């Protein structure tokens, strides 16, 4: 039974290469060059899907991306199951497995079709009018039922194993669409030497030429002209040809998004190849040759399998060598449908009648049909059709009465709608032409529409239009170009049919096939006051299916215009939005998946820490060692040990992720004085200061250490996650507010590895490694900096502490970081010290009451809230954020201030983010916990909190709202270790 | 992706830039001289026009300079260059 | 006409011939007691509550195009009240309570679906922030559950928990959060307001605001001058322009926010999910489409069109969350114009001009607020003073410094 | 080489794919020069985006008052007389050498610039992006690019290029 509906010969399929495939488990055969749709038709299969709302049987309507019905699932196995693909675009390959969707138990018998019987109860928008009672029943009862019924295909259930890549490209002329107009344009542009990219969504270039049987171009058959043109384009050195590539979106300034389907058409693709490639093309000139889409006719029963677009039928017969039926009726509203009739006739399909809806059918094509002996009847109307899973007969009305014609194929030629999608996305505004419909009106800089998509039909006209536009575009891009011209013969012009609204017939006449929107639904919507086309669309869902109304929008518009008695142009088109056809998430995400989703930044010491079995945490984009558990230790135990070691002996810490900015120039000190709240101008070379940076709105943005290396050179640190923000802020002020200052900022975050050595024996630990610097507390007091040699390499040595112990931060070149670290580690180990991670660092600094911007602050916290007001340079006239500090609310009483909390029960540990109330039962918070850690040193939880008027509440009892109930806590000073700083300066 | 005219590097893709908001909002020489309303206006009030907008961009991943341009906020088209910060 | 199943049945028998317009299409009168400019969700809700709560029915809603043509019809339909700051929390919880009775109140199925809103956390810092938020919500009697990774896994097993870059460490769940059908909210409020006598005037663009010695007199429109002693502006995407007509400048910048819907697929995602490691949120509509969005494009725009870089950011977050989505396809994308206030929180307040009221600055967050925004704005217009619920949403907070910076408290990594 | 020196990509094998090879360059000195060109001992190119090659090394003009000096002995460049600043960034970055017919195509997998030889000819340089990493790009020849990337982004960029080198068009 295989391929009973193939023509004897002809078509562009390769009859020497049969391919096996299956549909719903049934094995069939097609040929190389087939689409799934053409192969199914060749096997006599029309029923391919069920509609969304009524589950009505549906067949293949079209031959391209406008197809609303033939949506299938393609299963390549192993996570490669793709739903909602159009059978008209799926290229056949050997072993292709396809399934129909949205039906149960089977395509031929679908239980969901009961909704078709209930249709009278389900008018458009019915769901807005019911399911109201009982309250809450919607989400619990009705909605789950509706959700189960809705939806089309199934999502894959495992991760997509395929690769997707992206690339940027630039060209002088981008030609979108490789039909006659596009190819003529590309030929002209490429001939000029311009950089040209030509893309077409089809597997083969040629567009309508691929289904052209008799026309001759420049004295040769169209097919030969096509071969010659492609050969020329392939030979052009600066020209790129992209088949299977859809231009899905137009973005600002001639940036066009293309999707290239690389492997879906291959039976066994090379694993190195991506499944799809996203192109982002920036083109000097864009030529849109997107063609046009044929309109279905709107009449009762117009949705049965076997009812197809005339142009599609012609394409299946001529291009694919398929006979889509045995006995056909052609319903024509314009001459072009006659081409289908002639093609069918030539292929041996009986054409029972061409029912021309016009009063007269005079053109060349009707005459050719008559000459071929095809019965042509004008003044016809299609009254209805019969047939359940396939059309059986067509009832045609004439002035004389009606006639029932047996047919298993009905071709609809409702005229052609120019494809305005990209033009409209580019903000072109169309006008309405009474004979063609909507066509481009306003010019778009750098974009030209050619051929059918601007209403130019007829082969000769399209070629001339394209050639002229291609040459013009190349010339605008700066190349010498000239358009060729070709004599065209045997391409009978076909009078174009203006879009017409159908008369109100009885029965359901479908407009949007996929969403089951009928002419009656549209009229009902207008009666209910939805008169704007956008309202009608949203209320009836017409044009909102996966085809986005490519075949239905213009018909819907006509019906609405008629119903509200307004001219079509007044009702207007709905907005065209990207993508033109659906684009896979994979392609849009590209390689940014898994580890490449976001860069992971690591320090020079990372590998060493990993080898030591460190646990890591994400801080911004950095991986930081959180703690270094020893055998048998959990994190809790390890952190306690690390803290104890730092307090008692010495600890080693990788602080390399700190942001670092080198501030250089005559006015460096003046600049920093203006940026930070502190007095820094008077900072002596060799000294450091803890400095706080505000935003102009007065809230704390960052803090860090400002070290003065020399009169005109500073080394400034920032928080790990704040480095870019702080540098950007500083650049903004230096470039735009104070350009008169002679100061230059350089990020040196990555230049220096920072090795922190902290603890009572820190000095002893590093002493032997540091050359020519007296480390004594007199010579190098806390908050000092020296340039020197450590372990024989250039270093910046800071005497600073974030633990409350004696501390040093050794900055050495990052490439030296590991070597120096290993030598310091030897010393630290020798003294019984330990390496510690960020968790211990947090505990140690909290015990000392040091804040972390981003932990204690949240963008609404002032420097006074943190109790850091002392840092503000008293005599300073101005600094960034100063003015805001005097705003009423920032100076008001009742602000949340940083305090410590001592829980009654020393064994309890609150969570960060817990709320604090004045009384156990209060429902309004007076504050919240910002930091909380267990602390062996203090012997209870170290808790920092922001509490309203906190500093005035010292000693008061407040309540931390723990998950298990309120817990009493005494407000205390956040500094719990060495308040007088004896250890620090020891 | 916008194509932004950098005065030093020429037209360059948007992802090399960071947006700097409305242009010509200079920090007052002496903020302490402003009352709260005037200071708030400097901090927060913007003209936010529908159409021509004088704005700042920084070519962060290029020459790293701040500059001003005029862009139409409806069409995204850039007009002439402006000098200074 | 009251909607009900019986009405549907009756119409089924008479061939759907009995349905009447959901709202009238009146000519604007010369004078109203109050005008609401902007026929979006907020404007229509304001008119509805003016009539229902305050008996002010001589009201017109003026819409320059078709109602719901702005952000009301362009959002991702999420409703939630998982807010942290005192100035916000009570307001959004009030909104949630209004959502819960809305459909019976309006006799219109807005498909309010409390399917749960789950904010994923991908770092310890994010978990701390979520904990603070959840604790604040619970303290104020708002439902919030902190889930660990296993708790999340039990809810949404198909997510990529072991994402190479940002493993899922837990989540903050508000079960009462969910979605509503955005168009239905607009149409429901419109129909209900109309039934209480409010005139909904479409294709009527305001071209000027007439002010005389510090008092608003009415508005100039493309359909002539319309007088009123009270005029409320609820015109997201046009706030600066409209305020400018009255000589005001606002702490507002307008930005484009893109949103997306996929092809319809069988039920996959049953709740609303937000991704901590990137600005990304997703839910699945009843029709089967995955509805999702991300961050603003980041520069002033009235273009209602975004760029590809942002699209890619969104899709990358999508793939990081749902690796099985690679072969699913985005069907449609669109852009809405967000009026971004400088602290990320809205303004519902009187203006310096007597009788002129402002409802603006909703940033991305307007849809969920629709009922409470209308309710509070109606109160503010009717009584010429803020209700306690919107007392903090003042215009002068930008001068006083009493900002409502919810974002400052959002997921925020350790910074040292 | 000094065994105390460890680069970010030490020991990785070159990426060898059809039409393109990516390798890590040997270590060399780097300095950022800011300010007035006259303030520096070495002559500096004055066109933003241009490169002046100096025997073994080169000076890249990245901005109106910014240069990146590559492989020029520290002493020479770090000497400043006048309105300028020199900062040693020898350890801050890692350098890759990308060569081959498809070198530009590989970079365009993540770099949005027009790298056609007529648009970005040999001797051009600029700071730009590749994927999610900032890079400095210097075209040394039609089919050879020198890429500078921040140390902590080197591993990411390497993986990004390796992934995109597969099945490159």
């Amino acid at each position: 039974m295989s391929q009973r509906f193939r023509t004897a010969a002809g078509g562009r399929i390769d009859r020497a290469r049969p391919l096996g495939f299956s549909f719903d488990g049934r094995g069939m055969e097609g040929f190389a060059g087939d689409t799934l749709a053409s192969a199914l038709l060749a096997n006599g299969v029309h029923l391919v899907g069920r509609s969304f709302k009524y589950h009505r049987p549906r067949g293949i309507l079209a031959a391209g991306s406008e197809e609303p019905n033939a949506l299938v699932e393609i299963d390549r196995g192993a996570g490669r199951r793709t739903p909602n693909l159009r059978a008209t675009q799926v290229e056949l390959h050997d072993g292709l497995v396809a399934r129909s969707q949205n039906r149960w138990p089977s395509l031929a018998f679908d239980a969901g079709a009961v909704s078709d019987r209930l249709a009278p109860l389900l008018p458009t928008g019915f769901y807005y009018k019911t399911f109201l009672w009982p309250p809450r029943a919607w989400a619990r009862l009705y909605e789950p039922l509706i959700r189960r019924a809705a939806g089309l295909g199934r999502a894959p259930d495992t991760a997509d194993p395929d690769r997707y890549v992206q690339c940027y490209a630039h060209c002088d002329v981008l030609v979108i669409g490789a039909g006659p107009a596009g190819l003529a344009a590309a030929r002209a542009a490429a001939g000029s030497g311009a950089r040209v990219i030509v893309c077409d969504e089809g597997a083969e270039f040629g567009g309508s030429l691929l289904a052209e049987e008799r026309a001759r171009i420049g004295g040769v058959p169209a097919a030969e002209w096509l071969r010659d043109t492609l050969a020329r384009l392939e030979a052009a050195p600066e020209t790129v040809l992209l088949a299977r590539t859809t231009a899905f979106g137009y973005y600002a300034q001639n940036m066009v998004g293309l999707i290239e389907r690389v492997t879906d058409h291959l039976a066994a693709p090379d694993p190195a190849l991506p499944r799809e490639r996203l192109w982002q093309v920036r083109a000097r000139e864009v030529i849109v040759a997107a063609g046009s889409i044929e309109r279905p006719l709107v009449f009762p029963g117009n949705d049965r399998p076997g009812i197809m677009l005339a142009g599609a039928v012609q394409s299946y017969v001529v291009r694919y060598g398929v006979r889509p039926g045995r006995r056909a009726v052609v319903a024509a509203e314009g001459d072009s449908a006659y081409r289908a009739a002639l093609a069918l006739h030539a292929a041996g399909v009986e054409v029972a009648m061409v029912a021309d809806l016009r009063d007269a059918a005079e053109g060349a094509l009707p005459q050719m049909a008559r000459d071929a002996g095809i019965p042509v009847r004008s003044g016809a109307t299609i009254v209805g059709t019969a047939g359940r899973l396939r059309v059986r007969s067509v009832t045609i009305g004439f002035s004389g009465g009606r006639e029932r014609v047996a047919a298993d194929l009905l071709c609809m030629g409702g005229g052609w709608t120019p494809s305005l999608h990209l033009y409209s996305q580019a903000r072109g505004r169309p006008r309405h032409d009474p004979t063609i419909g909507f066509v481009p009106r306003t010019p778009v800089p750098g974009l030209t529409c050619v051929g059918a998509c601007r209403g130019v039909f007829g082969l000769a006209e399209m070629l001339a239009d394209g050639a002229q536009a291609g040459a013009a575009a190349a010339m605008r891009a700066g190349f010498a170009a000239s358009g060729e011209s070709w004599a065209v013969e045997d391409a009978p012009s076909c009078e174009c049919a203006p879009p017409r609204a159908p008369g109100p017939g009885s029965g359901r006449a479908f407009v949007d096939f996929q969403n089951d929107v009928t002419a009656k639904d549209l009229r009902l919507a207008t009666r209910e006051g939805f008169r704007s086309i956008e309202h009608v669309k949203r209320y009836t869902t017409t044009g909102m299916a996966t085809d986005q109304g490519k075949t239905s929008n213009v018909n819907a518009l006509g019906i609405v215009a008629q119903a509200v008695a307004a001219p079509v142009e007044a009702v207007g088109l709905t907005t065209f939005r990207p993508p033109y056809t659906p684009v896979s998430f994979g392609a849009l995400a590209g390689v940014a998946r898994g580890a490449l989703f976001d860069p992971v930044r690591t320090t020079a010491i990372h590998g060493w820490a990993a080898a030591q079995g460190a646990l890591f945490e994400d801080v911004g984009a950095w991986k930081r060692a959180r703690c270094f558990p020893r055998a048998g230790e959990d994190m809790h135990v390890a952190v306690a040990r690390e803290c104890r070691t730092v307090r008692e002996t010495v600890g080693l810490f990788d602080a390399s992720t700190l942001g670092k900015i080198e501030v250089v120039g005559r006015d460096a000190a003046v600049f920093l004085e203006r940026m930070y709240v502190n007095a820094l101008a008077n900072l002596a070379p060799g000294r450091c200061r803890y400095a706080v940076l505000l935003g102009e709105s007065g809230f704390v943005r960052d803090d860090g250490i400002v070290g003065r290396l020399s009169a005109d050179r500073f080394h400034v640190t920032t928080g790990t996650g704040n480095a870019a923000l702080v540098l950007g802020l500083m650049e903004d002020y230096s470039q735009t507010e104070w350009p008169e200052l002679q100061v230059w900022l350089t990020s040196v975050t990555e230049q220096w590895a920072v090795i922190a050595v902290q603890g009572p024996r820190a000095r002893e630990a590093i002493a032997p490694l540091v050359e020519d610097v007296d480390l004594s507390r007199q010579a190098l007091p806390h908050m000092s900096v020296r340039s020197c040699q450590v372990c024989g390499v250039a270093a910046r040595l800071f005497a600073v502490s974030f633990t409350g112990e004696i501390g040093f931060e050794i900055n050495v070149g990052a490439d030296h970081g590991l070597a120096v670290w290993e030598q310091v580690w030897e010393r630290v180990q020798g003294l019984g010290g330990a390496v510690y991670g960020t968790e211990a660092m947090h505990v140690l600094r909290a015990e000392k009451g040091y804040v972390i911007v981003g932990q204690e602050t949240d963008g609404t916290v002032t420097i006074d809230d943190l109790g850091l007001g002392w840092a503000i340079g008293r005599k300073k006239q101005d600094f960034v954020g100063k003015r805001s500090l005097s705003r009423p609310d920032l100076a008001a009483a009742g602000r949340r201030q940083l305090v410590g909390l001592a829980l009654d029960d020393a064994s309890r540990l609150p969570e960060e983010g817990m709320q604090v109330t004045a009384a156990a039962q209060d429902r309004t918070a007076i504050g919240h916990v910002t930091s909380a850690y267990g602390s062996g040193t203090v012997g209870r939880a170290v808790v920092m909190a922001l509490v309203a008027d906190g500093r005035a509440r010292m000693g008061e009892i407040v309540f931390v709202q723990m998950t298990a109930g309120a817990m009493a806590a005494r407000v205390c000073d956040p500094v719990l270790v060495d308040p007088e700083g004896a250890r620090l300066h020891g | 992706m916008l194509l932004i005219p950098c005065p030093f590097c020429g037209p360059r893709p948007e992802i090399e830039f960071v947006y700097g908001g409305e242009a010509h909002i200079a920090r007052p020489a002496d903020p302490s001289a402003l009352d709260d309303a005037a200071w708030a206006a400097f901090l927060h009030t913007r003209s936010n026009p529908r159409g021509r907008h004088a704005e700042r961009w920084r070519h962060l991943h290029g020459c790293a300079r701040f500059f001003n341009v005029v862009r139409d906020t409806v069409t995204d088209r850039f007009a002439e260059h402006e000098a200074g910060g | 006409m009251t909607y009900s199943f019986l009405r549907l049945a009756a119409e089924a028998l008479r061939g759907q011939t009995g349905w009447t317009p959901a709202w009238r299409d009146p000519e604007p009168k010369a004078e109203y007691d109050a005008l609401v400019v902007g026929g979006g969700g907020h404007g229509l809700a304001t008119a509805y509550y003016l009539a229902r709560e305050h008996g002010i029915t001589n009201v017109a809603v003026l819409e320059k195009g078709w109602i719901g043509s702005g952000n009301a019809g362009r959002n991702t339909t999420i409703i939630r009240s998982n807010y942290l700051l005192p100035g916000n929390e009570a307001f959004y919880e009030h909104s949630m309570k209004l959502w819960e009775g809305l459909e019976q109140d309006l006799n219109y199925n807005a498909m309010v679906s409390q399917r749960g809103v789950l904010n994923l956390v991908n770092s310890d810092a994010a978990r701390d922030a979520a904990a603070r938020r959840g604790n604040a919500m619970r303290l104020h009697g708002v439902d919030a559950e902190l889930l660990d990774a296993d708790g999340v896994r039990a809810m949404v097993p198909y997510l990529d928990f072991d994402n190479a870059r940002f493993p899922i460490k837990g989540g903050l769940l508000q079960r009462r959060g969910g979605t509503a059908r955005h168009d239905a909210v607009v149409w429901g409020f419109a129909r209900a307001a109309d039934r209480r006598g409010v005139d909904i005037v479409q294709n009527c663009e305001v071209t000027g605001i007439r002010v005389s010695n510090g008092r608003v007199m009415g508005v100039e429109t493309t359909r002539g001058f319309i007088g009123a002693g009270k005029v409320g502006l609820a015109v997201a995407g046009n706030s600066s322009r409209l305020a400018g007509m009255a000589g005001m400048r606002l702490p507002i910048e307008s930005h484009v926010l893109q949103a997306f819907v996929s092809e319809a697929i069988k039920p996959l995602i049953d709740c609303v999910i937000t991704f901590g490691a990137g600005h990304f949120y997703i839910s699945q509509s009843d029709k089967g489409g995955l509805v999702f969005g991300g961050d603003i494009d980041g520069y002033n725009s009235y273009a209602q069109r975004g760029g590809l870089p942002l699209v890619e950011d969104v899709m990358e977050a999508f793939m990081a969350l749902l690796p099985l989505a690679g072969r699913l396809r985005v069907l449609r994308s669109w852009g809405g114009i967000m009026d971004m206030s400088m602290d990320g929180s809205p303004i519902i307040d009187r203006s310096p001009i007597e009788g002129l009221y402002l409802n603006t600055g909703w940033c991305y967050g307007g849809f969920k607020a629709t009922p409470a925004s209308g309710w509070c704005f109606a109160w503010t217009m009717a009584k010429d003073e803020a209700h306690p619920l919107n007392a903090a949403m003042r215009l002068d907070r930008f001068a006083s410094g009493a900002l409502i910076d919810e974002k400052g408290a959002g997921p925020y990594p350790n910074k040292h | 080489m000094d065994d105390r020196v460890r680069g970010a990509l030490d020991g990785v094998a070159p990426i060898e794919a059809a039409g393109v090879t990516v390798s890590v360059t040997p270590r060399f000195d780097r300095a950022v020069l800011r300010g007035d060109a006259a303030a520096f001992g070495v002559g500096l190119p004055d066109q933003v985006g241009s490169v002046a090659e100096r025997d073994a090394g080169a000076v890249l003009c990245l901005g109106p008052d910014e240069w990146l000096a590559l492989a020029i002995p520290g002493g020479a460049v770090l000497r400043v007389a006048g309105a300028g600043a020199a900062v040693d960034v020898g350890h801050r970055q890692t350098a890759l050498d990308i060569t081959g017919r498809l070198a530009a195509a590989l970079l365009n997998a993540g770099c949005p610039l027009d790298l056609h030889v007529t648009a970005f000819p040999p001797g051009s340089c600029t700071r730009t992006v590749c994927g999610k990493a900032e890079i400095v790009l210097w075209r040394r020849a039609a089919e050879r690019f020198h890429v500078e990337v921040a140390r902590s982004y080197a591993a990411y960029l390497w993986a990004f290029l390796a992934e995109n080198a597969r099945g490159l068009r």
Side-chain angles (χ1 to χ4, degrees), chain A residues 805-876:
Chain A
E805 304 298 327
I806 297 170
F808 300 92
E809 288 183 357
I810 304 167
N811 288 242
V812 294
D815 289 351
H816 295 141
L818 182 57
V820 174
W821 171 275
E822 282 169 333
Q823 291 187 56
V824 178
W825 171 232
E826 248 177 63
R827 290 285 310 156
V828 168
Q829 236 180 344
L831 296 169
V835 58
Y836 65 100
T838 52
E839 194 65 23
M841 174 270 284
H842 278 247
V843 178
L844 294 161
R845 64 91 198 174
E847 290 170 345
K848 182 67 179 172
Y850 292 147
V851 303
I852 291 182
V853 173
Q855 177 95 30
E856 271 60 57
T857 71
D858 68 4
T860 65
V861 175
T862 69
I863 188 168
D864 181 67
D865 297 341
L866 294 175
L868 298 176
W870 55 263
I872 298 175
R874 290 282 156 252
K875 291 185 229 55
K876 292 178 67 169

Side-chain angles (χ1 to χ4, degrees), chain A residues 314-519:
Chain A
Q314 183 196 351
S315 173
Y316 285 119
V317 173
V318 177
R319 176 176 175 183
Y320 297 100
V322 168
R323 288 180 287 111
R326 291 193 173 83
R327 191 163 197 271
V329 169
V330 175
E333 200 164 76
D335 289 357
S336 71
Y338 284 80
R339 296 165 58 101
L342 290 162
L344 286 165
H345 181 77
V349 177
E350 179 191 356
V351 179
M353 180 194 298
V354 176
D356 198 311
L357 310 192
R358 298 169 296 184
D359 300 335
E362 307 304 351
L365 280 160
Q367 195 46 52
M368 290 166 71
R370 291 194 185 88
D371 298 346
I374 299 171
V376 175
R377 301 275 302 272
S378 57
T381 57
I382 309 299
V383 178
T385 65
R388 192 172 79 83
L389 301 180
R390 173 86 182 261
V391 63
R392 235 180 24 248
S393 69
V394 186
T395 305
I396 307 163
F398 305 99
S399 49
R402 41 181 59 182
E403 191 175 319
R404 186 187 178 95
V405 182
D408 63 355
L409 174 65
L410 171 54
C411 310
M412 303 184 284
W416 298 79
T417 299
S419 287
L420 294 174
H421 303 73
L422 287 174
Y423 169 77
S424 302
Q425 285 182 33
R427 298 309 165 84
R429 282 188 302 282
R431 67 181 170 85
H432 188 261
D433 177 302
T435 63
I436 302 171
F438 283 96
V439 292
R441 175 173 61 93
T442 59
V444 175
L447 182 143
T448 317
C449 295
V450 298
C453 73
R454 76 175 187 102
V456 172
F457 297 98
L459 186 52
E461 294 78 358
M462 290 195 286
L463 290 168
D465 195 34
Q468 184 279 333
M475 283 188 281
R476 281 195 299 278
F479 296 82
S482 62
E484 305 161 80
S485 66
W486 304 273
V488 173
E489 310 144 72
D490 301 331
S493 76
C494 36
E495 180 206 321
C496 190
R500 271 197 292 177
S506 65
R508 276 181 296 170
F510 287 86
V511 178
D512 184 315
F513 288 92
Q514 193 178 128
N515 274 355
D516 281 330
V517 181
T518 66

Side-chain angles (χ1 to χ4, degrees), chain A residues 163 165-168 170 195 238 240-242 260 271-274 277 279 591-592 595-604 621-622 662 664-665 713 731 742 744-748 750-751 791-793 813-819 822-823, chain D residues 2-8 27 32 34-36 65 80 82-93 105 107-116 118-119 132-133 150-153 155-156 159-160 162-169:
Chain A
R163 296 173 61 233
V165 300
Q166 306 181 337
C167 64
Y168 296 95
H170 297 73
R195 296 162 62 190
E238 295 288 353
V240 178
L241 305 181
L242 299 174
E260 179 188 7
L273 289 178
R277 183 180 285 113
W279 293 71
V591 301
L596 289 178
F597 171 53
D598 206 37
V600 179
R601 305 177 68 183
T602 58
T603 73
W622 291 96
E662 195 150 324
V664 188
R713 189 172 294 254
E731 282 287 353
Q742 217 180 77
W744 295 280
L745 310 164
T746 305
S747 169
V748 288
E750 307 251 17
Q751 167 73 5
C791 303
V793 301
D815 289 351
H816 295 141
L818 182 57
E822 282 169 333
Q823 291 187 56
Chain D
D2 184 339
D3 69 344
R4 289 174 305 183
V5 173
R6 299 273 205 310
R27 199 173 180 293
V32 168
R34 299 292 308 276
D36 178 351
D65 69 346
V80 186
V87 176
D88 177 1
V89 293
H91 297 252
R92 190 179 74 170
Q93 284 147 222
L107 283 161
N108 271 142
C111 173
L113 298 182
D114 185 354
L115 298 180
H116 191 271
T118 56
K132 294 179 180 178
R151 202 179 194 288
S152 70
Y153 281 89
Y156 163 82
F160 179 88
E163 171 64 13
N164 280 291
R166 294 176 58 201
L168 195 60
R169 190 179 198 282

Side-chain angles (χ1 to χ4, degrees), chain A residues 35 77 182 188 191 200 278 341 345 373 405 435 439 646 702 796 853 946:
Chain A
T35 62
D200 189 280
L278 172 77
H345 181 77
V405 182
T435 63
V439 292
V646 172
D702 190 46
R796 288 175 181 175
V853 173
L946 284 165

Side-chain angles (χ1 to χ4, degrees), chain B residues 2 14-15 19 36 40 44-50 53 57 71 73-75, chain C residues 240-241 249-254 298-303 305 309 342 398-399:
Chain B
L2 298 180
E14 176 189 338
I15 56 177
Y19 183 61
D36 288 334
H44 301 301
T45 305
R46 297 296 180 261
S47 52
N48 193 30
R50 193 176 195 286
H53 185 238
W57 290 86
R71 180 180 54 97
T73 56
V74 178
T75 64
Chain C
S240 295
R241 219 158 48 83
R249 285 162 57 87
L250 299 178
I252 296 283
E253 278 191 343
S254 298
Y299 48 84
N300 285 51
S301 176
Y302 287 88
R305 165 180 75 186
M342 296 293 161
F398 296 94

Side-chain angles (χ1 to χ4, degrees), chain A residues 21-69:
Chain A
F21 71 100
S22 78
F23 178 67
D24 281 345
R26 175 180 154 207
M28 287 176 255
E29 196 179 77
F31 289 127
D34 263 324
T35 62
L36 175 59
S38 66
L40 286 168
L41 292 172
N43 288 275
V45 177
H46 277 254
L47 173 66
V48 290
R50 290 278 176 166
S51 61
F52 185 80
K53 183 177 177 185
Y54 299 131
H55 287 248
R56 288 173 63 89
R58 289 290 164 77
I60 295 158
L61 178 76
S65 62
E66 71 273 29
E67 173 62 39
N69 290 338

Side-chain angles (χ1 to χ4, degrees), chain A residues 105-233:
Chain A
S106 78
L107 186 56
F109 177 77
D110 176 11
V114 62
S115 59
D116 199 26
R117 301 262 167 282
L118 297 174
L121 276 173
L122 315 173
T124 193
F126 73 96
Y127 30 74
Y128 299 127
K129 298 169 176 170
T130 181
F131 306 126
L132 289 167
W133 297 96
R136 309 269 178 107
W138 168 251
R140 303 217 177 106
L141 175 62
Y142 306 120
E143 188 179 40
L145 295 171
I146 288 180
R147 286 175 82 87
R148 228 168 292 134
L152 289 167
R154 303 173 295 167
D157 34 33
T158 55
D160 187 350
D162 281 334
R163 296 173 61 233
Y164 299 82
V165 300
Q166 306 181 337
C167 64
Y168 296 95
H170 297 73
C171 64
D172 298 305
V173 182
L174 169 65
V175 180
I176 296 165
L183 287 173
R187 227 172 121 144
S192 76
R195 296 162 62 190
V196 178
I197 296 178
V198 191
C199 68
D200 189 280
E201 63 181 346
E204 267 190 287
F205 278 16
S208 58
L209 295 178
L210 298 173
E212 181 55 64
E213 32 189 355
R214 57 179 72 73
R216 300 174 63 81
I217 304 172
V220 301
E224 197 175 317
W225 182 88
L226 176 57
R227 259 194 310 281
D228 168 59
T229 299
L230 294 182
R232 287 161 179 262
L233 292 175

